[in-house]
């Protein structure tokens, strides 16, 4: 008697049979296709923070790309498609140093894990104009707005998407007396600005914003300093904190003058991915990532996984590997990606941003999933998060 197939093998066999039903001419006898994907990462110096309790993993992002490559390979083997991942480090002077993989220079399909200025500079290189690049790190709104690039897509959410998700939650809960504490790092300022715009868009108002003090050592004195620091804030329903550098926000819960919930970079956090996400088969993705990386999946890891899977899905459906054909298909109505979020993932034609659910989480559970009920849109409710077509100044996409 033959051995029973394992669950993963049954899953991939089912996928193969479904593919044959949709594309009856696709099969093992077709010509083999080789897909080379490049992963470019910038060495980013993290600013000093008060606590090193949660260090940034050295393979942040790359672990997600590796899992996506493995998933692509499992599906592709039924179709004669093979996938490889080449890793490059981008030095301060712009030099690309090959780290691993078969390519000595990046190919036409690229993931970039870098800050906004580096992403723009890389996308503007003459040799990259005809390549297809997916940003998996920078949440800068301008990359989806006036500084968009035709060769640049985004699987990481923007600050605006996360801020809109939080604003929907606050409006639905009728928590409209708002105050905010904002850090001094550029990412703190960017997220804080996005929150201010989102709050105004949804008809709410922040009563007071207070800048964080830069010389406090809260590891020893949080219980004494934070009540005094927050005592001057007006009466409020919830305290919003913009601390994307992960510096001081962890010390705010239970140390504020008024006993109020906290949201933003701490407390109730709007995010593309969290270890608390378990529905829609997400636990299966979480477990596979943990098995390989020995840690929980973070937002940049998810963005990298989704970017690799985007390329894989486009190759599977088109049987093509050139960047122009894949870009056309990815931005079309035909493209959709199963991303373990309860909704199919698609891309906005007007700025290349991947539509996706934003999870509002606390460390141990999901509080809500945005878009929330009641927030409607003529196209899709997912377009209530982030820059909608009339809001975006990007003119390099068809729209």
């Amino acid at each position: 008697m033959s051995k029973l197939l394992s669950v993963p093998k049954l899953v991939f066999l089912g996928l193969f049979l479904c593919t044959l039903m949709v594309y009856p001419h696709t099969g093992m006898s077709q010509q083999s296709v080789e897909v080379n994907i490049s992963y470019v990462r910038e060495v980013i110096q993290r600013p000093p923070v008060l606590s090193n309790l949660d260090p940034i993993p050295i393979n942040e992002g790359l672990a997600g790309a590796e899992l996506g490559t493995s998933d692509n390979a499992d599906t592709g083997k039924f179709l004669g498609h093979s996938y490889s991942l080449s890793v490059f480090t981008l030095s301060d002077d712009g030099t690309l140093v090959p780290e691993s993989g078969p390519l000595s220079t990046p190919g036409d399909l690229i993931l970039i894990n870098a800050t906004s200025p580096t992403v723009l500079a890389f996308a503007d290189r003459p040799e990259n104009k005809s390549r297809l690049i997916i940003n998996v790190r920078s949440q800068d709104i301008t990359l989806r707005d006036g500084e968009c690039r035709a060769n640049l897509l985004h699987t990481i959410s923007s600050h605006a998407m996360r801020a809109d998700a939080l604003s929907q939650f606050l409006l639905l809960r009728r928590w409209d007396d708002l105050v905010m504490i904002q850090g001094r790092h550029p990412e703190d300022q960017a997220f804080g600005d996005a929150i201010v715009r989102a709050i105004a868009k949804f008809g709410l108002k922040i009563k007071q914003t207070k800048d964080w003090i830069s010389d406090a050592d809260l590891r020893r004195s949080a219980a004494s300093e934070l009540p005094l620091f927050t005592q001057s804030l007006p009466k409020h329903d919830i305290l919003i904190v913009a601390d994307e550098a992960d510096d001081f926000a962890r010390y705010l819960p239970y140390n504020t003058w008024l006993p109020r919930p906290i949201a933003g970079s701490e407390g109730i956090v709007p995010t593309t991915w969290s270890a608390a996400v378990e529905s829609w088969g997400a636990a299966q993705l979480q477990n596979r990532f943990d098995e390989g990386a020995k840690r929980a999946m973070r937002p940049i890891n998810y963005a990298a996984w989704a970017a690799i899977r985007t390329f894989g899905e486009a190759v599977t459906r088109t049987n093509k590997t050139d960047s122009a054909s894949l870009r056309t298909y990815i931005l079309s109505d035909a493209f959709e990606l199963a991303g373990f979020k309860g909704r199919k993932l698609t891309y906005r034609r007007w700025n290349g941003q991947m539509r996706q659910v934003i999870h509002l989480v606390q460390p141990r559970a999901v509080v809500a999933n945005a878009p929330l009920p009641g927030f409607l849109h003529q196209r899709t409710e997912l377009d209530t998060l982030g820059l909608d077509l009339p809001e975006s100044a990007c003119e390099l996409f068809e729209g």
Side-chain angles (χ1 to χ4, degrees), residues 284-306:
Q284 180 254 8
L285 179 64
Q286 303 272 25
N287 291 337
R288 287 193 293 115
F289 182 85
D290 179 74
E291 183 179 354
K294 309 304 179 186
R295 59 179 174 84
M297 186 178 244
R298 295 158 61 97
I300 294 178
N301 298 127
Y302 182 82
W305 175 86

Side-chain angles (χ1 to χ4, degrees), residues 42 121 228:
E42 177 186 16
L228 293 176

